[in-house]
Amino acid sequence: MLLIKRLIDWVDVRVGTREIVAHELTGYLLPRNINVWYSLGSILLFIFVLQVASGMLLLIYYVPDAEKAFKSVTYIMNNVPFGWLIRMCHAVGSNMMVMVLLLHMLSTLVMGSYKRPRELNWVTGFILFTMVQGISLTGYLLPWSQLSYWATTVATNSVGSIPVVGQFLVEFLRGGPLVGPATLGRFFAMHVALIPAGIAALIGAHLFILQRTGVSTPPFGLKDTTNRWNGDSYRYEAHPGGIPFFPNYALEDARSVFIFLACFLAVVFFNPYIFFPKDAFLPANAMVTPAHIKPEWYFLANYQTLKIFPSELIGMSLQVIAMTFLALLPFIDRGAENHPLKRPLFLACAIGGLLLWIGLTVWGHYS
């Protein structure tokens, strides 16, 4: 113990670890009326680490080749010790990551946590959302099954509706006019290297900005009487007399993560194929088009929107407008009020948008 203490003291003199802990962990205070919705960010961080770890294990046996990809995935599932578990964790984890991210964004909207001075928190979070969708799409092709091949074909076809540059973008994504070996190589590079690196960098930026602005006060429950930003404080909301992040709220975060992990493992062990239609177990065949091919559930609303309108350009334009509005929301909704019940117009739009998205998703699933 004496040796460990000396080692800690030696590092502390050179790095200032005790000062960092006192300032950023034990001295970082959160509102006393903070709720469970604030743990969703920690759960997302946990899922990302899980995805990276399981993805690295899968890379040991996965072969990014059009002739061998499906066979390598089958080998992982049937022959590699616990290979099925690693793949199920990775596949279920990708769906859970999108699900929790949507809940995280919804809670941020409801509690008004996107407003000044947290505009950059929202913008970085929105970019993370689009990148998570991108990494999910690129990973979808890697098993090289009938489902992944034709779903990727449908997804890349929709890009062609963009005026002027549409066809160029389609061929750029595919590496040619059709989905083929070049597409697999490009998607593999994006899924394994480019997008994860971008996500990791944005997570760092997101957490850094959150640390600088401080955690927002929930609009529900006990009224927070803490000091507000005066332009000179280290954080926008310092919350004097609040709950220390460590160890108090860190334990609350850990509890939420363990509850999520229990739910996650329940899906993995008892119903792992909930996200796997039958076409996911057939090798890709460019000569046989499945009767009812559909993208993953989180793209069904986009897919159905394109089907509703006679012109894909109209459907794509509406989606771009909606996404742009969502990205710029902190600069559009500039009111100081955070409580949703005191923002009736916002509440009506939020509920309407959510019901529309759910309706289009269900419609897309059964159509």
Side-chain angles (χ1 to χ4, degrees):
M1 293 297 293
L2 182 60
L3 179 61
I4 294 175
K5 184 179 183 303
R6 287 180 178 177
L7 179 60
I8 293 174
D9 291 340
W10 185 87
V11 173
D12 183 58
V13 169
R14 289 154 179 80
V15 181
T17 50
R18 289 190 177 91
E19 181 184 352
I20 294 173
V21 169
H23 199 264
E24 304 296 340
L25 296 177
T26 58
Y28 185 20
L29 304 180
L30 284 75
R32 287 192 173 274
N33 59 336
I34 203 166
N35 54 53
V36 68
W37 293 102
Y38 285 74
S39 296
L40 292 175
S42 298
I43 294 173
L44 280 169
L45 184 60
F46 171 79
I47 300 174
F48 179 69
V49 172
L50 177 67
Q51 289 300 96
V52 171
S54 58
M56 291 176 67
L57 292 174
L58 290 173
L59 280 176
I60 297 174
Y61 293 97
Y62 176 76
V63 181
D65 180 86
E67 297 294 329
K68 302 176 181 178
F70 186 82
K71 294 179 181 178
S72 67
V73 172
T74 303
Y75 181 80
I76 290 171
M77 291 288 292
N78 298 328
N79 300 98
V80 177
F82 299 104
W84 66 271
L85 178 61
I86 301 302
R87 194 203 170 196
M88 289 299 103
C89 284
H90 196 73
V92 174
S94 67
N95 286 273
M96 290 292 188
M97 190 170 188
V98 177
M99 194 178 302
V100 176
L101 183 53
L102 287 171
L103 288 174
H104 186 45
M105 294 182 69
L106 181 62
S107 67
T108 303
L109 283 170
V110 171
M111 290 186 284
S113 300
Y114 56 87
K115 296 190 174 186
R116 182 180 184 273
R118 298 182 178 86
E119 297 94 336
L120 287 178
N121 294 72
W122 175 262
V123 171
T124 54
F126 181 83
I127 298 173
L128 276 170
F129 171 66
T130 59
M131 294 187 77
V132 166
Q133 286 185 311
I135 201 170
S136 300
L137 177 64
T138 53
Y140 207 56
L141 178 65
L142 301 191
W144 205 245
S145 64
Q146 272 287 78
L147 177 66
S148 60
Y149 179 90
W150 288 102
T152 302
T153 299
V154 172
T156 50
N157 270 340
S158 63
V159 180
S161 62
I162 300 175
V164 184
V165 297
Q167 193 57 39
F168 168 78
L169 290 175
V170 170
E171 295 193 11
F172 175 78
L173 288 172
R174 294 177 176 178
L178 300 174
V179 174
T183 316
L184 180 62
R186 293 184 180 214
F187 277 39
F188 177 77
M190 288 189 285
H191 185 77
V192 173
L194 296 179
I195 302 180
I199 289 177
L202 271 173
I203 287 175
H206 191 70
L207 293 176
F208 173 77
I209 296 168
L210 176 64
Q211 192 77 354
R212 298 299 297 182
T213 58
V215 175
S216 64
T217 303
F220 309 104
L222 299 174
K223 185 174 178 60
D224 185 24
T225 57
T226 56
N227 295 333
R228 299 299 184 186
W229 177 56
N230 58 16
D232 300 320
S233 61
Y234 173 66
R235 298 187 180 91
Y236 180 79
E237 295 184 32
H239 306 292
I243 303 172
F245 173 77
F246 186 86
N248 302 57
Y249 193 72
L251 293 175
E252 295 288 331
D253 263 0
R255 181 183 63 179
S256 299
V257 168
F258 280 120
I259 292 173
F260 164 79
L261 184 59
C263 299
F264 172 79
L265 291 177
V267 175
V268 169
F269 286 115
F270 295 106
N271 195 10
Y273 297 115
I274 187 173
F275 301 113
F276 288 85
K278 62 179 181 179
D279 289 316
F281 302 100
L282 301 173
N285 187 344
M287 305 302 294
V288 179
T289 306
H292 301 287
I293 197 69
K294 293 184 179 70
E296 273 288 347
W297 61 271
Y298 40 83
F299 288 125
L300 281 174
N302 308 74
Y303 171 73
Q304 189 60 33
T305 302
L306 293 177
K307 288 177 61 178
I308 291 174
F309 296 96
S311 169
E312 283 192 353
L313 177 60
I314 298 175
M316 183 68 70
S317 299
L318 289 174
Q319 293 181 50
V320 170
I321 292 171
M323 293 293 281
T324 303
F325 175 82
L326 200 59
L328 300 178
L329 183 60
F331 308 99
I332 298 171
D333 181 12
R334 302 180 62 84
E337 182 58 58
N338 286 352
H339 201 293
L341 296 181
K342 297 179 181 179
R343 295 180 288 157
L345 179 60
F346 163 82
L347 187 61
C349 292
I351 293 175
L354 180 62
L355 292 177
L356 177 62
W357 182 82
I358 294 174
L360 287 171
T361 299
V362 174
W363 189 5
H365 176 73
Y366 288 104
S367 65

